[in-house]
Amino acid sequence: MIDFSRPANIVAPKLLGCTLTHGGVSIVLTEVEAYLGEEDAAAHTYRGKTARNAAMFGPPGHFYVYLSYGIHHNVNIVCAPEGIGQGCLLRGGRVIEGHDIAYRRRQKPDRLPIEEDNLARGPGNLGEALGFELTDNHKSVSLTAPTAPPEWVCGPRIGISKNADAPWRFWIPGDKTVSTPRGYKTSNKYKA
């Protein structure tokens, strides 16, 4: 069982390989990023608690869902003790159940067919495939741990402009559901 009361950069690699089920779809998490609150200029909680980020200051092991660019529901798992404001952004996963539901949510009539590896690649796509909404804020997280923890690597986070060099993006190497860029040299073996 994952101890979500630990710092986000400790929790993040432990999420890899876990299965998350929501809205009739199950995914295996393949990519996550850690955000460390007031010590991390890229964190939504860097400047303190607001109405938007209040869920991040709640108890660990709950969801923080926010709207990105007015269209994407990005999903985080709150970490660290209550009141600290840390979390792990779920960046990518492999759909293992509910493919038809995920395709229905993700496939738009005016777009080319979505490849299976792209169903939940990227935080907005993951949130859409799983059917997350802002009403899922504060809800308790339930994950199924893998039978054997995967190997993982870490490197700088992507898609941000502040504190981007922090090596707090974690992913399963070689997995096609991971966002690019994938090639960083820092390698670690999962440790409980």
Side-chain angles (χ1 to χ4, degrees):
M1 188 66 188
I2 297 172
D3 179 2
F4 292 109
S5 69
R6 311 248 350 249
N9 60 328
I10 302 300
V11 172
K14 296 178 182 197
L15 295 172
L16 297 172
C18 289
T19 300
L20 172 63
T21 300
H22 187 272
V25 176
S26 295
I27 65 164
V28 172
L29 295 171
T30 59
E31 180 184 12
V32 297
E33 285 180 341
Y35 288 87
L36 275 69
E38 65 183 25
E39 66 183 82
D40 181 0
H44 284 191
T45 55
Y46 179 65
R47 298 193 190 279
K49 189 175 181 178
T50 65
R52 179 186 186 211
N53 70 18
M56 283 279 275
F57 290 91
H62 288 75
F63 289 117
Y64 163 53
V65 181
Y66 68 93
L67 200 57
S68 176
Y69 299 107
I71 54 174
H72 300 295
H73 289 94
N74 290 356
V75 182
N76 293 259
I77 297 176
V78 177
C79 300
E82 188 167 354
I84 301 294
Q86 293 188 14
C88 295
L89 172 66
L90 307 183
R91 282 202 57 86
R94 176 167 304 285
V95 176
I96 58 170
E97 288 180 20
H99 289 84
D100 56 332
I101 298 169
Y103 274 110
R104 237 185 351 263
R105 289 178 178 144
R106 292 267 299 112
Q107 187 64 60
K108 307 298 184 242
D110 60 337
R111 292 189 194 158
L112 293 172
I114 295 172
E115 295 180 20
E116 185 172 348
D117 290 339
N118 292 332
L119 275 176
R121 178 193 294 160
N125 295 336
L126 182 146
E128 187 174 24
L130 289 168
F132 272 93
E133 299 288 341
L134 294 178
T135 55
D136 292 308
N137 250 332
H138 302 282
K139 289 186 179 175
S140 184
V141 173
S142 179
L143 298 171
T144 303
T147 53
E151 255 191 77
W152 53 270
V153 292
C154 66
R157 296 174 295 190
I158 57 178
I160 58 173
S161 58
K162 297 176 183 171
N163 203 17
D165 291 335
W168 295 330
R169 182 170 71 101
F170 303 84
W171 69 95
I172 296 173
D175 195 294
K176 293 181 179 179
T177 64
V178 172
S179 306
T180 54
R182 296 185 190 105
Y184 288 97
K185 61 183 182 241
T186 306
S187 180
N188 294 287
K189 183 71 177 154
Y190 181 100
K191 292 184 177 144

